[in-house]
Structures are given as C-alpha cells and as structure tokens.
Amino acid sequence: MKAVAWHGNHDVRVDTVPDPVIEHPTDAIIRVTSSGICGSDLHLYEVLGPYIDEGDILGHEPMGIVEETGAEVTDIKAGDRVVIPFNVSCGHCFMCDKGLMSQCETTQVREYGTGAAFLGYTKLYGQVPGGQAEFLRVPQAQFGPIKVPEGPPDDRFVYLSDVLPTAWQAVEYADIPDGGSVLVLGLGPIGEMSCRIAQQRGVEHVLAVDLVPERLERARAHGVHVFDLRDHDDLPAAVREQTGGRGPDSVIDAVGMEAHGAPVGKLAHRLAGLLPDAAARKVIETAGIDRLSALHMAIELVQRGGTVSLSGVYGGAISPMPLIQMFDKQINMRMGQANVKRWIDDLMPLVTADDDPLGVEQFATHRVPLAEAPHAYEIFQKKEDNAFKILLQP
Ligand SMILES: NC(=O)c1ccc[n+]([C@@H]2O[C@H](COP(=O)([O-])OP(=O)(O)OC[C@H]3O[C@@H](n4cnc5c(N)ncnc54)[C@H](O)[C@@H]3O)[C@@H](O)[C@H]2O)c1
Ligand SMILES: [Zn+2]
Ligand SMILES: [Zn+2]
C-alpha cells in the first residue's frame, strides 16, 4: 500500500510498504477514506525527529471502512464506516473507566514513562503505524472505533478523531463561568474549533489571538473578537480593555511548540536536528523551555483566580514556569491530550445535526490525494495557499 512516511526534518514521502495485517485478536484493519494532517504532525516534521525512525508512518486523524476484524472485535464488522480516535485505549482499565483514555494503562508507553499510545506518533507514544495511508491496523479495536452513519461526506465525521474532542476538552477544562469570557491563543484548527464550541455552548464573549491574517479573518467571520499579535506591543493591556479591565475568565492555549517569537528556542531545535540522536534529545528536553512563550502569555493574560486550559503540546523536561505569578494570581490550570472517546456522546449530535452547527463541512481548506502529502505538509507548515486544515484522501 501507499503510506506517508517520515524521512527526516521537513522530509515526508509517500512510500510503498506492506499492507497491514491483523496481529492481535483485538485489531481491526480499515481502508482509509480521509486522514487529517494536524499541528501535532508539525512537531514531528520540525522538532521531534530524534524520537522517530525513518520510514515510520504518520497520521492520527483517520476514518474509513472496516475491512477485517480480529476475533475479539465484536462491535464493528467489515463494511462499517468508522472514525479512529488518535488515542489507542482499551476501554476497560482503571484510567479508561475514569474517562482518561489518554492515560490508558493497557497501552501506556512504559519505556518512556508516557501515557496511552497514540497513532503515528513517535517512540514516546508507542511507535504505532499511523493513518495517513491506504490501510491502517487499528489496535484496541474492540473499543476505539467510532461508528458513524452512511450518507454525509467524511468532513462531517473525520474531526471526531482529534480536532473536535480536543477542542471540546479545551473548553470543558477552561471552566468558563456563566456569563464569562474566554480568550483562545492560536487560531489553528484546534483554537478555531475551541472558539466555535465555546460559542455553541453559550459563551458570548470569545476573544482570540493569532498572527496569520487568514486565520484571524476566519475567526472574525464567526463573531470572535480577534487580536493580531503583530499589532500589539502590549497585548495584555489591549485584552484587559476588552474584558472589563481584569482579563478573560479563562484562557485556552492552542499554540503549543509551534510558537513564533521565541527565536532562541527555534535555533535550539534547528541545532538539535543536526546533532546525533542522543545529544539532540538532551537539547530538546532542555530547550523545549524556550518555546513556552505562548503559555507564559496565557498566564499573563488570564484574570486573577481564572483558569488556563492547555491543549497545545509542549516538550521539555525542565520547564521554568512562572510559579510566582501563577501562585500570586491564584491560577487554575488543566491540560493533557484529549480523552477522545470521553467526549463523543457530546459531539455526535452536533456533527449529525442538519444545520451543521460547528461548521465542519466547510472546515477543511484542502482535500488532496495521498500522493500530494509532501506538498500538503509543506504548505501547512509554511501556512501558504491559505492552508488551514488539510485532509488526505487516499
Ligand atoms: N491536547 C491534545 O490532545 C491535542 C490534540 C491536537 C493538537 N494538539 C496541539 O494543539 C496545538 C494546535 O494544533 P493546531 O492543529 O491548531 O496547530 P497549528 O500549528 O495549525 O496552530 C497553531 C496556531 O498558533 C498560532 N501562533 C503561533 N505562535 C503564536 C503566539 N505566540 N500567539 C498566538 N498564536 C500563535 C499560529 O499562527 C497557528 O495559527 C499544537 O501544539 C498541537 O500539537 C493537542
Ligand atoms: Zn491531531
Ligand atoms: Zn485503558
């Protein structure tokens, strides 16, 4: 089959690889019909190289049609239309029972001390072959796959794999009080969807910050009060002015390691790319800290006693967080990978509603064949050609 494989920093290729086969009775094989490229994939493309091997198959936002199931997979059968969560979770362990599927104890990657395995995402998350491919082996398929109805286009459902539950969790964790305000940092797919979900859930005062003109425009068109980072020397002052002088009740950080405006960090990551793996890992684990500028901004912006909800992914083992400020401002903070299946019952009515309240049908800017993946990664990373959300369609 054809699959998108990692070959180095800024080098993904469409390789021909063996078709996946059932390896465990809890596996299923799906024929992929759509597969998103995510901001998290850019971390691999740019930063996390030392944790990935040449030839690893990328992608964690797939949907498709079931081809084959293992003996212990009884809820889905060949021919079913399914979305696959990015978390590989078992559905029956202590953590899954608590709704923390991203901490699943059956698939935790103990070698690296990390949480649940994650499709297409480095050794840190189990090195599971990903879904930007013609076919995918789905581990823990007795629990993971989300059955969706026939009829509507893939765009209706594919974001259930990641964008929708991640944004839903971001809003949930932001703990926005009734009548309160939320500010979203970063208007990529996760940030923009967080704005839409907050609005859908009745938050009237939604603000957001980014620096890409088309992204600001998209959010503005949805009634979000946007700030262009480049226009403000004193962003906190501008935000306070729009939030009764105190700042928003809640801030969602949907930027993560891609943060601009941290030149030292960028350089460190670039250097790391040139070093042998062991040395590079050290640099990433220590220099990850320089990419915290968006998170520090979130802490600066939020109202005293407010909540910061962190969905952007940060690396870095030593993280000099501004503890004095966090303590002094009495800030609450929640974070983590989305627990995908935890939020599906909340989301399913919204993605199947006739009027498409979250606008998922118009969310993607590009739908391209798998063969064009290298170009798609490039324009998504450079934010060229209005690339916002790209779906690969094998
Ligand atoms: N928690 C989870 O489960 C989960 C799931 C999916 C994605 N993520 C993470 O969420 C983050 C966003 O994902 P995405 O797909 O939307 O990615 P993206 O890279 O498209 O979006 C990031 C946005 O942040 C903007 N930005 C950069 N620096 C900024 C700054 N200093 N202030 C304000 N905006 C800034 C960029 O212009 C961009 O529009 C990534 O870190 C990704 O890894 C987390
Ligand atoms: Zn993703
Ligand atoms: Zn589990």
Side-chain angles (χ1 to χ4, degrees), residues 93-218:
C93 71
F94 177 84
M95 288 293 162
C96 285
D97 281 347
K98 296 207 319 178
L100 294 172
M101 288 78 179
S102 68
Q103 312 300 328
C104 174
E105 290 183 341
T106 305
T107 74
Q108 275 178 15
V109 185
R110 294 188 170 77
E111 187 188 345
Y112 286 95
T114 49
F118 181 157
L119 293 178
Y121 215 77
T122 77
K123 296 171 196 174
L124 295 174
Y125 290 101
Q127 208 164 29
V128 186
Q132 290 167 4
E134 289 179 301
F135 295 94
L136 170 70
R137 181 179 69 88
V138 182
Q140 303 295 330
Q142 81 292 349
F143 176 68
I146 301 157
K147 255 205 265 192
V148 296
E150 295 297 335
D154 280 7
D155 300 64
R156 276 279 176 157
F157 304 115
V158 67
Y159 308 114
L160 291 170
S161 58
D162 181 344
V163 174
L164 286 165
T166 297
W168 189 276
Q169 181 169 303
V171 172
E172 189 77 22
Y173 284 7
D175 201 17
I176 307 154
D178 284 346
S181 53
V182 63
L183 179 139
V184 178
L185 278 176
L187 284 169
I190 302 299
E192 189 191 301
M193 190 54 80
S194 300
C195 293
R196 293 188 188 193
I197 287 174
Q199 289 170 321
Q200 169 68 24
R201 291 174 64 169
V203 181
E204 278 173 26
H205 206 181
V206 180
L207 309 94
V209 181
D210 203 297
L211 60 164
V212 179
E214 309 87 65
R215 295 184 174 205
L216 291 161
E217 200 39 55
R218 277 177 69 114

Side-chain angles (χ1 to χ4, degrees), residues 3-15 35-48 52 55-62 118-122 128-133 162 215 258 365-393:
V4 179
W6 188 91
H7 282 272
N9 281 351
H10 292 213
D11 183 5
V12 305
R13 300 180 203 165
V14 180
D15 289 352
S35 206
I37 301 181
C38 178
S40 296
D41 293 325
L42 295 180
H43 306 325
L44 308 177
Y45 193 60
E46 292 216 286
V47 178
L48 290 174
I52 189 167
D56 279 359
I57 302 173
L58 304 177
H60 58 268
E61 304 187 347
F118 181 157
L119 293 178
Y121 215 77
T122 77
V128 186
Q132 290 167 4
D162 181 344
R215 295 184 174 205
E258 291 309 303
T365 47
H366 296 65
R367 294 169 193 80
V368 304
L370 204 59
E372 288 173 28
H375 177 66
Y377 267 82
E378 191 181 336
I379 60 172
F380 181 51
Q381 194 268 326
K382 294 185 176 155
K383 303 186 172 58
E384 286 173 0
D385 192 21
N386 281 339
F388 174 78
K389 187 70 190 179
I390 303 180
L391 298 178
L392 299 173
Q393 300 191 313

Side-chain angles (χ1 to χ4, degrees), residues 245-321:
R246 297 196 177 90
D249 293 282
S250 307
V251 174
I252 292 172
D253 175 348
V255 175
M257 289 189 286
E258 291 309 303
H260 300 258
V264 180
K266 268 228 143 111
L267 179 65
H269 286 302
R270 201 150 293 142
L271 281 175
L274 303 172
L275 294 171
D277 278 7
R281 278 186 207 130
K282 261 256 114 43
V283 173
I284 287 174
E285 280 160 15
T286 52
I289 57 179
D290 294 319
R291 293 219 163 189
L292 290 169
S293 55
L295 181 52
H296 287 183
M297 181 58 84
I299 290 162
E300 174 76 31
L301 290 172
V302 75
Q303 191 175 113
R304 287 180 180 273
T307 302
V308 172
S309 165
L310 172 56
S311 58
V313 171
Y314 288 93
I318 352 171
S319 305
M321 295 293 292

